[in-house]
Structure formats: C-alpha cells, structure tokens
Amino acid sequence: MTPLSLENPLTPENPLTPENPDHCQTLNQVTYQILSWIMVLEFSLGLPLNLSVLYVFIFRFKFWRNKSVFLFNIVVADFMLVACLPVKIFHYQHAVRRSGNPLLCRALLFMLFLNRGASIAFLIMLSLDRYFNVVHLGRRNFVRVLKKTPQISVLIWLLLLPFTVPTMVSTFECCNSHGRSNETYYHDVTDTFREAVFFTQILVPFVVLVYVTVHMVGRLRQKTVGDKTKLRRAMCAVTSVVAVFSVCFLPCAVARAALLGVRLCGWEGVEVVAVQVYDGLMVLSYTDCLLDPLVYCFCHSGFKDAYLSTFCPAFLHRRLNAAAATSTAASTLSGARTVSLPLVEK
C-alpha cells in the first residue's frame, strides 16, 4: 500500500488499516481548514478575555483575600489552553492533525490533558462547595476549609500529573493508535490507561454534577419561607458549571467512545468520518476558555462587580447595578408573599 503523505492523505479509498496505521494526516483538508479558523476565533477572543480576567483577579479583586483560589486556578488552566491553540492552528492549516515532532506532540498533549483535568477538578470543587452550603447548611463544609488553603490547589495539580504522564510515554503515538491489531502488549496497556483516564475525568465528575444539581433543585423547592436569593445564586453557579460540561467536555467524550467503537469493529470507512467528528468536537471543547468567565461571575458576585467596574463604561455599570437591585427587590417581595399566603389560608 502507498505510504501516507501530504500528497496522499487518508481517504475512504486509502483507509486506516494495520498496514497503513499512520493517521496523523488530515482526513479532509477543507474540514480542518474550517476547524483551524474556528480555533483562530477562539484564540482571538480567549487571549484578551483571559488577560483581562487575570488582571482583575490579581489587581482589583485580590483573589487571595476573597477566598477564590479555586477560581484563580481555573484561570491558570485556561491560559494553558490558550497557549496551545496557536500550535494546533498551525498543524491544522498545514494538513496534519498532530505534530510529526515526537517531543512537541507529547508536550502539547500533556498540556491539553493537564488543562482539561485541572479545569474539571476545580469546577467540581466549586460545585461541591455550593452543594454543601445549600443542601447541608449548618454542617461542616470541608470544601470551604480546603479552598482557604493555597497548598491544596498545589496538591491538586500534583495529583493530576500521574494521570497525565501516559501522554508522554515513548510508546505513545501522536495520533492515538488504540485498537490497532499491530500493537504490542505494553503499547496496548498504555493506550488503555490513557483512554480510561480520558473518560473517567469527564464521566465521573458529570455524574457528581448531576447528583449535586438534582439535590440543590430539591432544596430550592422545599424552601418556602425566607430569602431565596442566595439559593438561586448557588443554583446559577452550579448550572453554569453543568453548561460548561455539556458544551465542552461531554460531547467530545461521546465522540471519543464512538470512535473507539468504530475502530475496534474494524469499520475503516466509517472511521474516517468518526475521526473528523471527534476532532471537530475537540475544537468545540476549547471554548471552555471563553465560558469559564461566566462561571466566575455566577460563583462570586464580587468578581463580577470588579470586572464590570474595571472594563465597562460607567453608565452601563450603573444600569446593570440598577437592574440587579430591581431583581433583588422583586425576589424579596415574592418571598414576603410566600410567607403571607399560609396566614390568609388559616
């Protein structure tokens, strides 16, 4: 079989087979050109947005005083992702899915795996904090204790490293050859462990998020007396995290599972399409660097106020504050009516 090259890319007529295992070349140059321009847009929006967020966190919000160390770690993870995008853009525009340089390929995948793991870990910690504050109010909240200690954040990063190392093992091929019949036993074990880490770090936290969200909704419905504003804010924070998962992380996990299934079944023609779908959803997952600032606003109103006062015009900031005050007043009146109705019935 003719070896693959930029002039001889993968096609349904020249599929992926054990004799033709290299699938680092783009499967459809038009598709990957479009994906590269989508990443250009993500980088163009993500870099200034995250720079502005970082400025506010350090110089205006002073995150270490506002117990927002977890939020700051998500900003760091987002910067790691934004730094990787120009390399991915360069590859896609030059008709390759991954770098042919083993060192660069492994370093880039290491950064992407570490970014994804860190973002998910700290988002889950934030959601658990809101969960304990709402559902188990009055009990000792261990997450609140943890987020006051910066060393815990360092420990989380260190714990993520062992799960990211498989991307740098020498047997790791740049384009995920798991499922090939020509793999060695050691190669197969390495790929299996990497795939297990990939799915575990997405599916397990998603189950935790669903559990947290369901119980918080139940607690919100049970509260018929008093101010619901804090409960609604906590609910919005967790809902924003669920939205990030649903848009950025869950679709690429489903596409990855479908790709592995197609590959293990030996459907080479279908695999060409599955690989393109998977790469497209991976590009979509990079939008978490654009969506995470919404999570910051929902998780801490002080950050939102600091950001708006820094970058929004004064008249717009005043209007937003007036709208927020009106909404709070309406919630208070609604709460008062909830209390008076049972008295009328009696």
Side-chain angles (χ1 to χ4, degrees):
M1 181 172 289
T2 306
L4 293 173
S5 65
L6 296 181
E7 293 77 23
N8 185 32
L10 295 173
T11 62
E13 293 75 23
N14 186 29
L16 306 173
T17 65
E19 296 77 27
N20 183 24
D22 182 11
H23 50 299
C24 287
Q25 309 301 327
T26 57
L27 309 180
N28 184 315
Q29 293 192 20
V30 175
T31 300
Y32 285 87
Q33 286 291 323
I34 294 173
L35 293 179
S36 71
W37 285 109
I38 293 175
M39 285 190 288
V40 168
L41 179 62
E42 291 171 342
F43 179 77
S44 302
L45 297 176
L47 183 61
L49 177 61
N50 283 278
L51 282 174
S52 64
V53 167
L54 185 64
Y55 172 81
V56 170
F57 261 110
I58 296 176
F59 298 105
R60 297 299 303 275
F61 186 56
K62 298 181 179 178
F63 67 92
W64 59 92
R65 295 182 182 175
N66 290 284
K67 303 172 185 176
S68 300
V69 177
F70 286 166
L71 290 177
F72 180 75
N73 280 275
I74 300 176
V75 179
V76 174
D78 287 341
F79 261 104
M80 292 172 57
L81 172 61
V82 172
C84 294
L85 288 181
V87 183
K88 295 286 293 182
I89 293 167
F90 177 83
H91 291 156
Y92 277 16
Q93 291 191 344
H94 287 78
V96 288
R97 297 177 61 226
R98 303 282 192 271
S99 172
N101 184 323
L103 181 61
L104 179 60
C105 179
R106 292 167 188 163
L108 183 63
L109 284 168
F110 178 83
M111 291 282 285
L112 291 173
F113 267 62
L114 190 61
N115 153 261
R116 184 180 299 272
S119 294
I120 292 173
F122 288 109
L123 286 172
I124 289 298
M125 295 298 285
L126 290 172
S127 301
L128 288 175
D129 181 40
R130 297 302 183 273
Y131 167 76
F132 283 110
N133 285 339
V134 171
V135 179
H136 299 291
L137 186 62
R139 298 183 185 178
R140 185 175 178 82
N141 184 350
F142 76 97
V143 181
R144 176 173 292 181
V145 176
L146 294 179
K147 72 180 183 180
K148 294 178 182 178
T149 310
Q151 291 84 348
I152 296 299
S153 297
V154 177
L155 180 61
I156 291 175
W157 283 97
L158 292 177
L159 290 175
L160 289 170
L161 291 179
F163 297 102
T164 315
V165 167
T167 60
M168 303 186 73
V169 175
S170 60
T171 56
F172 173 65
E173 293 183 4
C174 65
C175 292
N176 302 325
S177 62
H178 189 65
R180 301 290 172 209
S181 60
N182 61 339
E183 285 186 320
T184 65
Y185 175 78
Y186 182 61
H187 196 166
D188 185 60
V189 169
T190 303
D191 283 346
T192 301
F193 181 69
R194 187 187 65 250
E195 300 296 344
V197 170
F198 178 85
F199 289 109
T200 301
Q201 73 174 4
I202 294 177
L203 298 181
V204 172
F206 187 74
V207 171
V208 173
L209 275 179
V210 171
Y211 176 86
V212 166
T213 305
V214 169
H215 281 74
M216 288 182 66
V217 169
R219 180 68 182 90
L220 187 60
R221 289 179 176 175
Q222 291 174 5
K223 189 174 180 61
T224 56
V225 178
D227 183 19
K228 290 187 178 183
T229 304
K230 291 183 179 180
L231 287 178
R232 288 198 180 97
R233 286 177 182 171
M235 193 65 232
C236 287
V238 175
T239 302
S240 65
V241 176
V242 174
V244 171
F245 260 80
S246 301
V247 173
C248 300
F249 303 134
L250 201 58
C252 63
V254 174
R256 182 68 186 167
L259 173 59
L260 288 177
V262 167
R263 181 175 296 166
L264 293 172
C265 291
W267 300 336
E268 291 88 357
V270 180
E271 184 177 348
V272 172
V273 178
V275 168
Q276 294 179 69
V277 172
Y278 169 69
D279 285 341
L281 291 176
M282 283 297 293
V283 170
L284 176 66
S285 74
Y286 302 151
T287 56
D288 68 322
C289 66
L290 303 177
L291 297 178
D292 283 343
L294 296 177
V295 177
Y296 312 151
C297 293
F298 284 122
C299 285
H300 207 302
S301 58
F303 168 78
K304 181 183 68 176
D305 294 338
Y307 192 90
L308 292 176
S309 63
T310 304
F311 295 105
C312 283
F315 75 93
L316 181 58
H317 188 210
R318 286 194 296 270
R319 287 188 178 182
L320 290 173
N321 285 337
T326 304
S327 175
T328 304
S331 298
T332 305
L333 290 174
S334 174
R337 281 194 288 270
T338 346
V339 176
S340 62
L341 282 175
L343 298 176
V344 172
E345 289 177 0
K346 287 183 180 180

